[in-house]
């Protein structure tokens, strides 16, 4: 084996192209949403059980900690959704070139940011 | 079963992804139309059979979609089989539990 091969490279020292970061973020956002499923189910349950439950849920969402969690979830979900759409498009050969990959990544990030900001302005404040 | 046929998993992942995308889009449209989400409107929506059926399909789609995605991640990054199998089992139990919980939320009164 090559005795001078690199071991234990600092992953942060590796430069990756943008589509690679989008791909990594796609996986991470998927994991994030998975971990927050019980929170979604709990919220749905509370919202449906009674008017008091719904009011209680809305009260909870006024607290900063819950707000942060909610908007983290929304951001993760939006990103995962748009990056997923990019995947589906690439499956039908749309944007699957090198330049297409880079442009697609930029679009995913831009669309995620825009929809997040719109949603936050409308509901988060 | 998941993890046995790559093509089958690929199709299931895409199919569930598309359905979930549409489901989320629908919910988004609802929240835009009812920004304050009054209890009566929300409760009415989920009392409709078509919404209950679609929501159950969504829950099961999440279970399949997440299972395939997490299977992919686990097989990519966790090579020791015992650890991976334990994690897969935990994920399986979790997703099953979420599905049952979802059914209860929709129809458990």
């Amino acid at each position: 084996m090559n005795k001078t091969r690199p071991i234990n490279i600092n992953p942060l020292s590796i430069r990756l192209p943008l589509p690679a970061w989008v791909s990594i973020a796609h996986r991470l956002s998927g994991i994030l949403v998975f971990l927050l499923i019980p929170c979604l189910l709990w919220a749905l349950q509370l919202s449906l059980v009674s008017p008091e439950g719904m009011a209680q849920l809305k009260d909870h969402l006024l607290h900063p900690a819950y707000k942060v969690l909610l908007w983290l979830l929304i951001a993760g979900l939006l990103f995962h959704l748009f990056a997923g759409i990019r995947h589906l498009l690439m499956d039908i050969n749309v944007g699957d070139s090198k330049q297409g990959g880079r442009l697609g990544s930029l679009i995913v990030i831009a669309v995620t940011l825009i929809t997040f900001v719109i949603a936050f302005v409308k509901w988060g404040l | 079963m998941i993890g046995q046929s790559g093509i089958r998993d690929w199709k299931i992942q895409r199919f569930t992804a598309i359905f979930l995308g549409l489901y989320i889009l629908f919910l988004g449209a609802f929240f835009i139309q009812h920004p304050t989400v009054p209890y009566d409107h929300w409760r009415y929506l989920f009392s409709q059979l078509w919404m209950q059926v679609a929501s159950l399909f969504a829950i099961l789609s999440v279970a399949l979609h997440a299972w395939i995605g997490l299977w992919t991640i686990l097989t990519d990054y966790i090579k020791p089989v015992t650890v991976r199998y334990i994690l897969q089992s935990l994920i399986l139990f979790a997703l099953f539990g979420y599905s049952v919980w979802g059914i209860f939320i929709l129809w458990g009164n």
Side-chain angles (χ1 to χ4, degrees):
Chain A
M1 205 184 288
N2 177 11
K3 288 221 162 64
T4 57
R5 74 191 195 284
I7 1 178
N8 294 335
I9 310 172
N10 173 16
L12 299 174
S13 67
I14 300 175
R15 281 186 54 224
L16 291 173
L18 190 63
W21 287 114
V22 168
S23 176
I24 291 171
H26 192 200
R27 286 196 161 184
L28 289 175
S29 60
I31 295 174
L32 175 72
V33 174
F34 165 72
L35 291 174
L36 293 177
I37 289 176
C39 301
L40 281 173
L41 287 171
W42 168 82
L44 182 65
Q45 184 172 41
L46 194 54
S47 74
L48 286 172
V49 71
S50 69
E52 293 77 31
M54 173 68 99
Q56 218 185 348
L57 177 64
K58 289 178 182 169
D59 256 353
H60 280 312
L61 292 175
L62 292 173
H63 292 286
Y66 283 89
K67 262 196 173 185
V68 166
L69 206 63
L70 173 68
W71 289 100
L72 207 66
L73 170 66
I74 291 174
L77 193 57
L78 284 174
F79 181 85
H80 192 84
L81 174 64
F82 294 127
I85 292 174
R86 174 169 168 265
H87 255 295
L88 293 173
L89 287 172
M90 290 197 292
D91 284 341
I92 53 175
N93 299 320
V94 174
D96 60 353
S97 64
K98 184 175 164 195
Q99 293 85 347
R102 192 146 204 286
L103 180 62
S105 305
L106 285 166
I107 293 175
V108 164
I109 294 173
V111 171
T112 302
L113 276 172
I114 292 170
T115 45
F116 181 82
V117 167
I118 293 176
F120 191 76
V121 164
K122 198 164 156 66
W123 287 289
L125 298 173
Chain B
M1 286 271 79
I2 305 296
Q4 299 300 301
S5 160
I7 297 210
R8 193 153 161 262
D9 289 0
W10 186 91
K11 287 181 193 171
I12 295 173
Q13 202 180 38
R14 265 65 179 170
F15 180 77
T16 53
I18 293 172
F19 181 83
L20 287 170
L22 292 171
Y23 186 82
I24 289 173
L25 210 71
F26 172 80
L27 280 183
F30 181 88
F31 289 140
I32 291 174
Q33 230 188 354
H34 309 270
T36 55
V37 194
Y39 176 77
D40 291 332
H41 292 186
W42 187 241
R43 188 70 229 226
Y44 180 72
L45 176 65
F46 279 93
S47 69
Q48 303 297 293
L49 184 62
W50 60 264
M51 182 59 183
Q52 292 168 335
V53 171
S55 298
L56 179 57
F57 200 80
I59 291 166
L60 297 175
S61 294
V62 169
L64 283 172
H65 188 89
W67 176 237
I68 295 173
L70 291 165
W71 177 92
T72 306
I73 288 176
L74 287 181
T75 51
D76 271 354
Y77 302 123
I78 314 237
K79 303 300 185 182
V81 191
T82 312
V83 176
R84 192 171 76 234
Y85 282 2
I86 291 175
L87 287 173
Q88 277 174 197
S89 304
L90 291 174
I91 291 171
L92 185 64
F93 287 135
L95 290 172
F96 181 75
Y98 298 156
S99 303
V100 173
W101 189 4
I103 292 173
F104 181 78
I105 292 174
L106 290 171
W107 287 291
N109 275 23

